[in-house]
């Protein structure tokens, strides 16, 4: 079980840029949470703090009671960055397999193949990143994040570069992969539809500095269809919360 | 530029050379036909000399580059060591080969030792600096990826940094291959039994013009061949071409006290290494730091020593600095001209590559032969040494101008000149500064070589003089003075570079 606990987490850059302000959140195993907020609000910073890539200025982050680095060292955490960050000298298959190598896990070519096919890159195993479109690279990066069967999966705008059809397909196909292994999944996005499509819970963040302005459950059955009235109604509600958060922030700034 | 135009350019150059030789009186310039005839009729000595020089250069190349790769790896694994590694590398690179050569000869005796060590010293820096840049030349996200799996600097080095640095390593190796031949030849100047350096000295003394030009052509041909050979290997090993070396010096962070402490540590380590290097050797020639300090500061004739040394430093700096500035200006100017008028490149680029590869010890006698022993010769040689690296770097820098910004200018119907002023020249600045830094020791080396061989002035002459009369205090002092002169000029350029790039190219100064 890899429960993530953020307690009073703040991050200050330099003397004046407060990116994250006093976040108190807990993320439980087997659930997918979307961190939703406007561009530049500090969502990615929060994700980096949870991944242990940055230290909070105040507060603590723990995973299963330990600092994030402990789980990282055990190879139990995977992150798919906003930038696919594939190594240009490796083929798609080797880029995906790199995840296992870095996590000190035994090679598993069969699973590499299976994941590459699942993200729609079948036939591109031996292609290098330069030969792929932005969306294809993004899919390879998602496959790399999943290859280690992580206990904690962090996805930073993973579908940002994908076309609408692929995005919808992956949103149907991918969540079962991490749900079946009871992973704690955190998804950073600014797309309301993506959040409702993928998550069991949506945490809405304010414009910078990131503060929690709403914590909503997504009680829709899977697979989800964005055209259904229930989906649209929930998406509308979330959008309204997001808009109110923006207005509140503006009025606070004006004061 | 196509292969056909490159060959046409080369043919035009050879024709021009032959034409000039025919127009002259035969006392200054031997044409390619004469050179070929001489080489054909003297295969034995030239073959043996070439083999000796190549063998020593190859050993030096291996040792120097091995040291550079090891030190760059240390700096990648322990970033705190970077300041010390880069500082030591600079000091070693600034050691004047002309003075180091005689000292090594005395320390190591006859044989190939000094040639190999000088070749290693000549290549070490030209590989280390690109490699240090290459080990940092990657998006932060690649390192975050490794870190997100809880892996440390070793995994970063193995999985990301080493491979990302490979193009930079190959670029460094390519530049260092001709430098190894230069180092070996300087070593041969200091009393070796065979080698192209030995032949060059003999032919200069004999005023044997065809033989001198033949030795120079052979040395240049060898340098160009190893340069082209490593370039070819690099192209085979990498699908992408080697990058331009643009990384600015990493700014030293921290308070003035911390910077002063780092400088003091560097000086301390240099002095300890110096002491260690001469330990156990005869103090008559293996002078230690206190001996040299005494000779300069408190020995009975210290005032005279200071006056002699000061005058020599002033003479060397007085010619090296204007030559250096002229070389940089000409290199950048020609690069700009060729970007505006690309048709001229067919002739100038092969010439640039050829002259870039020629060891200075062969250029110097030819420059003296053509321009005499006055200030013009020194200025020209220094400018030549600086001109070609600056030209090549600036040309690549100009090509780095971001395409979308050029498109933006084109969409407003801006002409090539306006694009040059507003986009290409700012994009070229990092390359210009990088070459300006790298060529500082080369400028001082050029000035001391020509002073040593021809002008009878400055630090180079003082080095030759003190070596010949066994005044080892003065010889070590000239070495320290030339090293300090190079290092101070280098740091001055690096300081200016940091200031300019912080405004013009912020992405280049990020650590």
């Amino acid at each position: 079980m890899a429960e993530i606990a953020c307690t009073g987490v703040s991050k200050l850059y330099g003397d004046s840029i407060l990116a994250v302000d006093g976040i108190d959140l807990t993320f439980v195993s087997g659930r997918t949470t979307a961190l939703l907020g406007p561009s530049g609000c500090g969502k990615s910073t929060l994700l980096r703090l949870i991944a242990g890539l940055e230290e909070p200025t105040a507060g603590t982050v723990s995973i299963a009671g330990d600092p994030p680095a402990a789980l990282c060292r055990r190879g139990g955490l995977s992150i798919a960055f906003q930038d696919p960050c594939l190594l240009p000298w490796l083929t798609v298959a080797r880029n995906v397999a790199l995840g296992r190598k870095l996590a000190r896990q035994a090679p598993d070519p069969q699973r590499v193949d299976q994941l590459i096919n699942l993200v729609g890159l079948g036939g591109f195993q031996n292609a290098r990143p330069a030969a792929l479109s932005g969306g294809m690279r993004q899919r390879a990066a998602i496959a790399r994040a999943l290859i280690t069967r992580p206990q904690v999966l962090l996805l930073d705008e993973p579908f940002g570069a994908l076309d609408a059809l692929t995005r919808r397909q992956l949103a149907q196909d991918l969540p079962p992969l991490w749900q079946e292994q009871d992973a704690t999944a955190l998804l950073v996005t600014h797309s309301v539809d993506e959040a409702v499509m993928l998550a069991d819970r949506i945490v809405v963040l304010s414009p910078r500095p990131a503060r929690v302005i709403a914590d909503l459950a997504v009680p829709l059955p899977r697979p989800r269809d964005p055209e259904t009235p229930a989906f649209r109604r929930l998406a509308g509600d979330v959008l309204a919360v997001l808009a109110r958060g923006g207005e509140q922030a503006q009025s606070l700034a004006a004061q | 530029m196509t292969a056909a135009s490159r060959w046409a350019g080369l043919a035009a150059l050879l024709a021009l050379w032959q034409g000039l030789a025919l127009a002259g009186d035969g006392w200054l310039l031997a044409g390619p036909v004469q050179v070929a005839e001489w080489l054909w009729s003297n295969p034995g000595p030239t073959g043996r000399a070439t083999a000796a020089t190549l063998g020593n250069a190859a050993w030096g190349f291996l040792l120097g580059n091995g040291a550079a790769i090891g030190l760059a790896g240390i700096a990648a694994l322990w970033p705190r060591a970077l300041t010390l590694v880069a500082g030591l590398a600079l000091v070693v690179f600034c050691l004047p080969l002309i003075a180091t050569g005689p000292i090594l000869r005395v320390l190591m005796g006859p044989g190939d030792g000094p040639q190999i060590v000088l070749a290693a010293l000549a290549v070490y820096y030209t590989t280390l600096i690109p490699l240090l840049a290459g080990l940092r030349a990657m998006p932060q996200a690649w390192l975050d990826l490794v870190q997100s799996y809880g892996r440390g600097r070793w995994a970063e080095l193995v999985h990301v940094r080493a491979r990302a640095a490979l193009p930079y390593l190959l670029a460094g190796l390519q530049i260092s291959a001709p430098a190894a031949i230069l180092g070996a030849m300087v070593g041969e100047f200091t009393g070796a039994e065979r080698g192209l350096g030995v032949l060059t000295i003999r032919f200069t003394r004999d005023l044997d013009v065809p033989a001198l030009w033949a030795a120079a052509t052979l040395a240049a041909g060898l340098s160009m061949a190893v340069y082209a050979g490593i370039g070819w290997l690099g192209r085979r090993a990498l699908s992408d071409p080697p990058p331009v070396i643009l990384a600015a010096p990493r700014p030293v962070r921290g308070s003035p006290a911390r910077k002063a402490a780092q400088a003091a540590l560097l000086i301390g380590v240099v002095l300890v290494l110096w002491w260690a290097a001469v330990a156990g050797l005869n103090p008559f020639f293996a002078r230690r730091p206190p001996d040299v300090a005494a000779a300069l500061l408190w020995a009975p004739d210290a005032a005279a020593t200071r006056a002699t040394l000061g005058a020599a430093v002033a003479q060397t700096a007085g010619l090296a600095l204007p030559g250096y500035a002229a070389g940089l200006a000409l290199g950048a100017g020609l690069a700009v001209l060729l970007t505006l008028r690309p048709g001229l490149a067919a002739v100038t680029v092969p010439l640039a590559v050829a002259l870039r590869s020629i060891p200075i010890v062969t250029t110097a006698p030819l420059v003296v032969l053509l321009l005499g022993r006055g200030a013009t010769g020194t200025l020209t040689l220094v400018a030549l040494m600086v001109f070609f690296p600056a030209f090549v770097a600036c040309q690549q820098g100009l090509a780095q101008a971001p395409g979308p910004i050029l498109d933006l200018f084109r969409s407003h119907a801006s002409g090539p000149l306006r694009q040059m002023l507003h986009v290409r020249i700012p994009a070229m600045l990092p390359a210009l500064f990088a070459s300006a830094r790298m060529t500082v020791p080369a400028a001082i080396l050029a000035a001391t070589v020509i002073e040593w061989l021809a002008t009878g002035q400055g630090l180079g002459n003082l080095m030759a003089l003190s070596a010949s009369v066994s005044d080892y205090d003065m010889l070590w002092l000239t070495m320290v003075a030339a090293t300090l002169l190079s290092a101070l000029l280098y740091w001055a350029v690096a300081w200016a570079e940091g200031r300019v790039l912080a405004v013009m190219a912020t992405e280049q100064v990020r650590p």
Side-chain angles (χ1 to χ4, degrees):
Chain A
M1 298 291 278
E3 185 177 277
I4 303 169
C6 299
T7 315
V9 171
S10 296
K11 180 68 185 177
L12 185 70
Y13 288 107
D15 294 329
S16 55
I17 302 173
L18 185 60
V20 173
D21 187 17
I23 297 279
D24 285 301
L25 284 170
T26 303
F27 306 100
V28 297
S29 295
R31 309 278 287 172
T32 304
T33 305
L35 297 172
L36 180 72
S39 291
C41 78
K43 309 181 291 288
S44 295
T45 303
L46 183 56
L47 205 71
R48 291 174 65 80
L49 290 166
I50 291 169
L53 293 173
E54 299 198 31
E55 288 294 317
T57 319
T60 57
V61 177
S62 69
I63 303 178
D66 291 320
L71 184 68
C72 290
R73 276 196 294 274
R74 293 198 302 272
L77 183 145
S78 275
I79 182 164
F81 295 94
Q82 201 170 355
D83 174 331
C85 107
L86 301 178
L87 301 185
W89 51 84
L90 298 181
T91 61
V92 168
R94 282 170 173 261
N95 262 298
V96 173
L98 180 69
R100 288 188 76 84
K101 203 181 259 186
L102 289 173
R104 296 191 181 90
Q105 294 176 353
D108 187 350
Q110 216 175 344
R111 184 166 164 80
V112 169
D113 247 11
Q114 181 200 348
L115 275 175
I116 288 177
N117 284 323
L118 191 80
V119 297
L121 289 178
F124 285 91
Q125 275 88 343
N126 293 320
R128 292 193 193 268
L132 305 182
S133 71
M136 292 161 90
R137 285 179 214 167
Q138 193 70 58
R139 283 182 268 156
I142 293 170
R144 181 180 57 200
L146 291 170
I147 191 73
T148 55
R149 300 180 195 272
Q151 290 169 266
V152 169
L153 177 68
L154 307 176
L155 303 163
D156 192 356
E157 312 258 10
F159 300 155
L162 304 185
D163 61 90
L165 274 179
T166 312
R167 192 182 306 164
R168 186 176 290 188
Q169 188 60 48
L170 287 184
Q172 303 283 6
D173 294 344
L174 292 182
L177 285 178
W178 64 75
Q179 281 159 354
E180 75 189 19
Q181 60 206 44
D182 215 21
T184 313
L186 273 185
L187 161 81
V188 156
T189 181
H190 58 250
S191 158
V192 172
D193 273 17
E194 201 167 283
V196 178
M197 188 78 182
L198 287 164
D200 305 307
R201 172 189 174 199
I202 298 174
V203 173
V204 183
L205 299 173
S206 64
R208 188 168 64 81
R211 295 189 186 105
V212 178
I213 52 174
D215 195 339
L216 311 164
V218 183
L220 300 177
R222 293 175 191 274
R224 293 171 185 165
D225 180 353
E227 306 309 327
T228 59
F231 188 106
R232 298 278 22 117
R233 200 166 39 247
L234 185 59
D237 291 348
V238 174
L239 193 60
V241 171
L242 197 57
R244 271 207 307 278
E247 285 161 15
Q248 279 171 9
Q250 275 178 359
S251 67
L252 276 174
Q255 287 164 20
Chain B
M1 197 169 43
T2 63
S5 66
R6 258 202 303 269
W7 286 113
L10 199 62
L13 277 178
L14 286 174
L16 182 70
W17 178 10
Q18 186 62 43
L20 285 173
L22 288 174
D25 53 9
W27 284 102
L28 295 178
L29 190 58
V33 174
Q34 245 181 314
V35 164
E37 276 171 6
W38 191 93
L39 287 173
W40 182 255
S41 51
N42 295 280
T46 44
R48 283 193 295 277
T50 306
T53 302
L54 262 184
N56 292 331
W59 275 113
F61 182 81
L62 283 178
L63 293 173
N65 285 318
I69 292 169
L71 284 171
I74 289 173
L77 289 173
W78 293 284
R80 281 174 181 278
L82 179 66
T83 313
L84 187 61
V85 166
L88 270 179
L90 174 65
V91 171
V92 173
F93 187 56
C94 290
L95 290 176
L97 297 183
I98 301 302
T100 326
I103 287 177
L104 285 172
R105 177 65 61 197
V106 172
L107 297 182
M108 303 176 89
D112 293 336
Q115 292 92 299
I116 293 173
V117 172
L118 284 182
L121 288 178
V123 304
Y124 152 81
Y125 194 73
T126 48
T127 300
L128 179 68
I129 292 305
L131 198 48
L132 286 176
L135 287 167
R136 298 203 309 268
M138 67 219 52
Q140 179 59 39
W142 295 4
L143 304 177
D144 286 345
L145 176 74
V146 177
Q147 220 185 323
S148 72
Y149 288 97
R151 304 296 297 274
R153 292 197 159 267
W154 177 253
E156 276 180 16
L157 184 63
V158 171
H159 293 291
V160 179
R161 290 185 193 268
R163 179 56 184 77
L166 192 57
Y168 290 78
L169 171 66
L170 287 168
L173 291 180
Q174 192 181 14
I175 298 168
S176 73
I181 291 179
L182 166 69
M185 286 183 68
V186 172
E188 288 161 4
F189 270 37
T190 62
E193 287 165 9
R194 66 177 82 84
L196 286 173
V198 178
L199 288 190
T200 303
I201 287 210
R202 190 184 305 156
F203 299 148
T204 308
R205 282 194 193 128
D206 298 348
L207 280 176
D208 187 344
V209 174
L212 188 56
W213 280 91
T217 307
L218 204 56
L222 275 185
S223 300
M224 285 164 71
V226 292
Y227 181 84
I230 293 187
W232 178 80
L233 278 178
R235 281 191 299 279
R236 284 191 52 111
L238 298 170
S239 48
D240 41 350
V244 188
I245 309 303
L246 293 181
R250 203 184 157 103
V252 179
R253 296 183 182 284
S255 61
R258 188 182 154 87
K259 288 180 190 172
Q262 282 175 335
L265 176 68
L266 176 62
I267 293 169
V269 171
V270 169
L271 290 177
V272 166
L273 287 178
W274 175 357
W275 215 309
V278 297
L281 297 169
N282 184 347
F284 173 65
F285 56 81
R287 311 299 280 160
R288 292 157 177 77
D291 305 328
V292 173
L296 185 70
L297 299 173
W298 57 81
D301 56 351
T305 303
R306 282 198 298 274
T308 311
L309 189 67
V313 169
Q315 282 168 343
T316 300
L319 289 177
L321 291 181
Y324 170 75
L328 282 181
L330 286 172
L334 185 68
V336 167
L337 183 70
L338 287 188
T339 305
L340 291 171
R341 292 272 174 276
L344 296 172
V347 174
T348 44
V349 172
L351 180 65
V353 174
L355 287 174
R356 181 188 185 187
S357 314
I358 299 175
I360 182 187
V361 283
T362 56
T363 326
L366 300 179
V367 168
V368 172
L369 210 57
L370 293 170
L371 296 172
R373 293 170 184 268
T376 321
T378 310
L379 278 175
T380 306
L381 192 67
V382 174
L384 265 183
M385 282 293 280
V386 175
F387 166 73
F388 291 103
F391 163 68
V392 173
C394 287
Q395 218 185 13
Q396 289 172 321
L398 287 168
Q400 297 292 309
I405 300 182
L406 287 174
D407 286 344
L408 176 72
F409 273 69
R410 287 188 196 112
S411 71
H412 290 287
S414 299
L417 200 60
R418 185 178 282 262
Q419 289 174 30
M420 177 61 69
L421 286 176
H422 293 282
V423 188
R424 290 193 188 274
I425 288 181
M428 179 194 83
L429 285 177
L432 174 65
F433 274 109
S435 64
R437 265 186 301 127
M438 298 284 283
T439 50
V440 164
I444 302 297
L445 171 69
T448 49
V449 165
I450 201 159
E451 285 165 352
W452 180 45
L453 288 174
T455 66
Q457 287 189 322
L459 278 173
N461 177 56
L462 196 54
M463 287 168 191
L465 209 61
S466 41
S468 65
V469 300
S470 303
D471 182 356
Y472 290 108
D473 278 336
M474 186 56 94
L475 184 59
W476 284 88
L477 273 172
T478 53
M479 197 164 83
V480 172
T483 306
L484 281 179
L485 189 60
S486 289
L488 285 176
L489 189 52
Y490 180 99
W491 276 312
V493 174
W495 179 83
E497 180 182 25
R499 294 290 174 287
V500 172
L501 295 194
V503 179
M504 304 293 290
T506 43
E507 75 285 356
Q508 294 289 335
V509 285
R510 227 166 25 201

